[in-house]
Amino acid sequence: MTITPDSLEPALSVRQVLTLERVLAGEPEVVAGASHLDRPVRWVHVAEAADVGVMLSGGEMVLTTGVLLAGDEDKQAEYVRSLHRAEAAAVVLGLGRAFPAAPDVMRRAAERCGLPMVVLHRPFPFAELTEEVQSRLVRRKFAAVSLSEAVRTELTALITAGAPLQRLLDEVARHSACPVVVTNLAHRVLGTAGERPAVDDVLRDWERIARQAGGTEGDGWIRAELGGRGERWGRIVLCGYRGDTATGRLLADRAAEALVLHRMLAGGAARSWEEQSAQSLLTDLVSGVVPARQLLPRARAAGLPVNRRTFVPLVVRDGDPARLERLLRLLGLPGLVAELADGATAVLLSLPRDQDAGALAAHFATRLRAETGPDHTVVAAAEPRAAWDDVPTGLREAQHVADAVADSSAVLDFPPVVRLKDVHLRGLIRLLRDDPHVQSFAERELDGLLCETEEDLLSVLRTYLASGRNKSRTAQLHHVSRPALYRRLEAIQIRLGVDLDDFEQAASVHIALLAHDAQQQ
């Protein structure tokens, strides 16, 4: 059975100890330090000696009857001060023969020190309180260690099975029952896990939370550093952990160990985590499965500026993501890069509104094509978007343009940044290629050539129409004489039942051929 934080004994604070049934039988009353009752109790210790502080190591709830302190106010004050110096959690005084009421000297000293002081109005066997608290503490520690080992075992098994980073984070979030965030040292979010609404709440205010997570832990924000061999490269943060802090630290440490091992087995590719984060975000934007508004916190936490920006969606064909990221950094252009399917890479630029988005996109494309060669790289773009909600449509448009260019044999004829207006009819056909009516039209128009034995004639037809029905150019490209080409064109017209010299009939066949080719992609 998986151990979860809900099944653990709660952390015992002074306040919680005072609510235990055995303690309530002694009629406890807090007479000093009431604002410090949330201090954790590490142990319970019975001590009467005035110099008790030398026997403590911190976090103890000290029980006393005060029998050795009665009649000496200096000893009473020093007793409280020594507890404070030893960082005791609280002092509990059993009223009786030594003190029928809380001594003012001890009460005032405890209030000045901020040390919770509790008196028991009814006779109470200290052994019962000690036994109750100690047994609870032991059970809690055992449960925490069991949880730690369970998490370590499960995460190690996932790593051995080759699980991705996200699967590990999901497991950590399941055990911690709170959002989990992994960042690099610049607080850029590399991965998240947990219930989506809770994660989005964290990411929405991530800049403030990142500063908090980088400082003193508190209010359930628990972090563990990621690194090895003297080098830190990130951290994992449990955001709003509801269990006790010690157990949370154990969880965070086990998670950190697993993430470091995961990175080592991946060849130290911490960079790939950033790539996975960007890929997940841009893939969700392109697919439209998740509304853009819900993805805004993730974009902001990933380091993309989103306030008062102009977004330029780009899709690069046959572009190396690492090269694209280096070029963005070189040009000082903020953006995300992620590899999509079929050799396409999405680039989402985020530019200040006072900059010329078109000119910067063209400069980026020109520099890229200069590095890779103009016949190897196509940069497709949608029109700049001023609203984040319009980014998914822009990315899909850029992807559509890139696909349309990929279908063309005339890549060199396109400008450095290709837009929808540059792909003309080919772009429209690409957009409509999955429409059943278009598919039926293409099959009907080309029926006489859609068989393996006629592939050569189909290729001649494709070249003839793409060259603007230039017979000389077509014969040259197919390495045949003009008479031989005429015979092939005549065979094509017979099989299709069309006159290719008629503009309307030739245009109809051309559209059908474009649709057919688009459907084969």
Side-chain angles (χ1 to χ4, degrees), residues 82-154:
S82 69
L83 293 179
H84 171 64
R85 289 193 295 270
E87 298 182 347
V91 59
V92 178
L93 175 65
L95 300 181
R97 286 181 300 172
F99 293 105
D104 288 340
V105 172
M106 292 182 70
R107 183 179 55 77
R108 288 196 298 270
E111 193 64 50
R112 283 195 299 271
C113 293
L115 176 71
M117 179 176 175
V118 182
V119 296
L120 300 175
H121 288 281
R122 292 176 62 85
F124 183 81
F126 285 167
E128 290 189 10
L129 173 58
T130 303
E131 178 185 5
E132 176 74 11
V133 174
Q134 311 297 50
S135 63
R136 285 178 177 262
L137 289 173
V138 169
R139 289 199 302 270
R140 180 176 63 85
K141 290 181 179 179
F142 175 76
V145 171
S146 298
L147 172 63
S148 171
E149 289 307 308
V151 171
R152 172 184 279 149
T153 299
E154 292 178 17

Side-chain angles (χ1 to χ4, degrees), residues 62-340:
V62 177
L63 312 180
T64 181
T65 63
V67 66
L68 298 182
L69 304 175
D72 191 331
E73 293 187 346
D74 289 340
K75 283 187 178 180
Q76 295 169 21
E78 177 57 26
Y79 184 86
V80 172
R81 287 194 293 268
S82 69
L83 293 179
H84 171 64
R85 289 193 295 270
E87 298 182 347
V91 59
V92 178
L93 175 65
L95 300 181
R97 286 181 300 172
F99 293 105
D104 288 340
V105 172
M106 292 182 70
R107 183 179 55 77
R108 288 196 298 270
E111 193 64 50
R112 283 195 299 271
C113 293
L115 176 71
M117 179 176 175
V118 182
V119 296
L120 300 175
H121 288 281
R122 292 176 62 85
F124 183 81
F126 285 167
E128 290 189 10
L129 173 58
T130 303
E131 178 185 5
E132 176 74 11
V133 174
Q134 311 297 50
S135 63
R136 285 178 177 262
L137 289 173
V138 169
R139 289 199 302 270
R140 180 176 63 85
K141 290 181 179 179
F142 175 76
V145 171
S146 298
L147 172 63
S148 171
E149 289 307 308
V151 171
R152 172 184 279 149
T153 299
E154 292 178 17
L155 293 182
T156 301
L158 288 173
I159 293 172
T160 304
L165 171 65
Q166 187 60 53
R167 182 68 184 87
L168 270 65
L169 296 183
D170 289 341
E171 192 67 18
V172 175
R174 184 172 67 85
H175 280 288
S176 63
C178 70
V180 175
V181 177
V182 175
T183 75
N184 61 15
L185 294 181
H187 305 302
R188 179 173 176 176
V189 174
L190 307 181
T192 63
E195 294 184 2
R196 196 73 254 167
V199 171
D200 288 344
D201 286 343
V202 169
L203 297 185
R204 195 170 290 115
D205 198 20
W206 181 247
E207 290 185 8
R208 179 188 64 79
I209 290 175
R211 289 194 296 271
Q212 175 181 336
T216 304
E217 292 179 350
D219 297 328
W221 301 103
I222 299 173
R223 72 186 186 281
E225 301 298 324
L226 303 177
R229 299 178 181 176
E231 178 187 5
R232 291 190 306 115
W233 42 266
R235 61 177 54 91
I236 182 171
V237 185
L238 307 186
C239 305
Y241 178 71
R242 294 189 297 273
D244 67 283
T245 302
T247 303
R249 287 199 186 102
L250 278 175
L251 274 172
D253 288 344
R254 295 297 83 79
E257 290 173 4
L259 296 185
V260 171
L261 178 60
H262 184 276
R263 179 193 174 189
M264 290 174 58
L265 294 178
R271 183 67 184 167
S272 68
W273 288 7
E274 295 187 14
E275 293 168 356
Q276 291 176 36
S277 176
Q279 183 176 31
S280 173
L281 173 60
L282 292 183
T283 300
D284 285 347
L285 279 169
V286 171
S287 68
V289 173
V290 182
R293 182 61 53 183
Q294 294 182 20
L295 297 173
L296 187 58
R298 286 171 57 187
R300 183 183 289 111
L304 186 73
V306 295
N307 295 329
R308 299 185 59 79
R309 310 291 287 190
T310 297
F311 302 102
V312 184
L314 305 174
V315 171
V316 181
R317 275 287 175 189
D318 301 322
D320 175 29
R323 180 194 295 273
L324 297 176
E325 288 206 355
R326 286 196 300 270
L327 183 56
L328 287 182
R329 290 195 298 271
L330 179 64
L331 299 178
L333 298 176
L336 294 178
V337 177
E339 189 171 5
L340 303 177

